[in-house]
Amino acid sequence: MRAVQLNAYGAPGPDTVVLVDVPADSPGPGQVAVAVDLAPINPSDLLLIAGHYGYRPPLPTILGAEGVGHVVAVGDGVDTDRVGEQVVVRPTLVDATWRQHLVIAADDAIAVEGDAAQLSMLGINPMTAWAMLFGIVDLEPGSWVIQTGASSATAGMVRALAVRAGLRVLDVARRPESVATLSESGATVVADGPDVARAARDVLAGERAALIVDGVGGETTAALAGCLGLGGSVVSYSSRGGKPVSVGIADLVFRGLTVHGFWLRNWQASQSAEAVAQRYRDLAALVTDGTLHSPVEAIHPLDDVAAALEHAARRDRRGKILLALNGTPS
């Protein structure tokens, strides 16, 4: 079978990311073999390739953190009725998905129904959004949630889940076109800038936010922290510019703000396997009913992985880039 392999950390290129032929393993006891249909290229994949992610596997290594496929074989102790089942691969950073087939623990192949393209993106962003909203702090209905980096795919999931739960969301976007697009979609949005905190306070109209979901870091987060109420929280999952999350000492000491770092791998490790699997099934149902949706800009065949990586790195893209590992599903 073919797979996408990282040979050296650095910018994607013929010396770093290559297509290779690797053996196709057979499932052992408690395992299933999955033919991977579609897998997205996420910003975290590009960070890993560059060597800047929180996990640096020994090289060479197969790439890919999530995806959707179907079970083609089962090992001892696994119900043979699972053959043919559509499944998402639970992200583990060990079970790399940019390959035509992989063998994983049966519990890490979670049965789902629905559109393969949307479900291929179920593993990371929807669960990250849910956990940041509901897995760290307790929010009362009607609470304000501020989120930075509002044009990202994860932010879209946060927005959808928050609105569904009766929360109010104030989005902060950096690019004028993002502000316009989000506003046209009905979102409450303000532009990032020198007076972002004042703009946010104008929207809050005397109320205080309970949570900041932060994907930017730097000065924006520090300014917005003043919009939180007593005991408010910042949950930070990314920093696009590489800047630290900065919250003033007075906010930390006198108003009791807390700052949480979020990495899906660590959060899932703190949960039971069944609880995680059930949450994925619940989120898959929201994908199916349209509550959760991510635009897809292009699906590239496996042979076109170099162009797919280049496409995924473009700042002007307006949707996810997917890899079709075994031909585009019908």
Side-chain angles (χ1 to χ4, degrees):
M1 69 165 181
R2 293 182 302 162
V4 182
Q5 180 173 285
L6 179 65
N7 285 339
Y9 291 110
D15 296 326
T16 55
V17 180
V18 297
L19 269 178
V20 294
D21 288 312
V22 295
D25 297 329
S26 298
Q31 295 181 320
V32 297
V34 177
V36 183
D37 295 319
L38 292 169
I41 300 175
N42 291 311
S44 56
D45 296 311
L46 300 178
L47 285 173
L48 191 150
I49 291 169
H52 301 317
Y53 196 51
Y55 171 69
R56 285 173 63 97
L59 302 179
T61 188
I62 306 302
L63 292 165
E66 64 176 332
V68 68
H70 58 280
V71 176
V72 293
V74 300
D76 290 343
V78 181
D79 191 340
T80 57
D81 286 345
R82 295 206 63 180
V83 174
E85 209 173 54
Q86 181 173 250
V87 296
V88 294
V89 179
R90 185 175 73 85
T92 64
L93 289 180
V94 176
D95 301 318
T97 55
W98 293 1
R99 63 173 112 195
Q100 291 181 306
H101 293 78
L102 78 160
V103 171
I104 57 177
D107 288 344
D108 289 335
I110 302 165
V112 292
E113 296 182 358
D115 178 72
Q118 289 298 313
L119 291 171
S120 74
M121 301 175 281
L122 181 69
I124 295 177
N125 286 343
M127 185 66 88
T128 294
W130 186 90
M132 290 193 298
L133 277 173
F134 308 115
I136 298 176
V137 299
D138 293 324
L139 297 175
E140 296 291 331
S143 297
W144 275 104
V145 175
I146 300 173
Q147 67 168 339
T148 63
S151 61
S152 72
T154 302
M157 299 292 178
V158 168
R159 188 179 309 110
L161 291 171
V163 170
R164 183 175 182 272
L167 304 172
R168 293 176 289 175
V169 180
L170 173 57
D171 290 311
V172 178
R174 291 186 290 179
R175 299 194 303 270
E177 61 270 27
S178 297
V179 173
T181 299
L182 289 167
S183 297
E184 289 169 2
S185 72
T188 302
V189 58
V190 298
D192 196 349
D195 292 323
V196 65
R198 179 182 295 276
R201 287 195 295 269
D202 288 344
V203 173
L204 295 176
E207 295 187 75
R208 293 280 187 166
L211 173 66
I212 295 174
V213 176
D214 177 46
V216 173
E219 296 83 359
T220 295
T221 308
L224 291 170
C227 298
L228 289 168
L230 289 174
S233 296
V234 178
V235 176
S236 184
Y237 67 101
S238 180
S239 176
R240 294 181 184 177
K243 296 181 180 180
V245 174
S246 176
V247 175
I249 189 66
D251 287 328
L252 290 174
V253 173
F254 300 119
R255 297 202 298 116
L257 304 190
T258 56
V259 179
H260 307 263
F262 182 88
W263 190 21
L264 182 60
R265 184 188 192 191
N266 290 341
W267 183 82
Q268 287 195 148
S270 71
Q271 311 295 307
S272 71
E274 178 50 38
V276 171
Q278 183 57 53
R279 180 57 55 196
Y280 274 123
R281 288 190 285 268
D282 293 342
L283 292 169
L286 297 181
V287 170
T288 299
D289 71 16
T291 300
L292 298 178
H293 180 86
S294 292
V296 174
E297 182 160 311
I299 300 176
H300 289 261
L302 180 58
D303 289 338
D304 204 21
V305 64
L309 288 168
E310 181 180 353
H311 195 170
R314 282 169 42 182
R315 297 181 64 87
D316 63 343
R317 65 176 174 83
R318 291 293 180 265
K320 281 285 190 178
I321 308 303
L322 308 183
L323 283 174
L325 285 301
N326 284 287
T328 305
S330 57

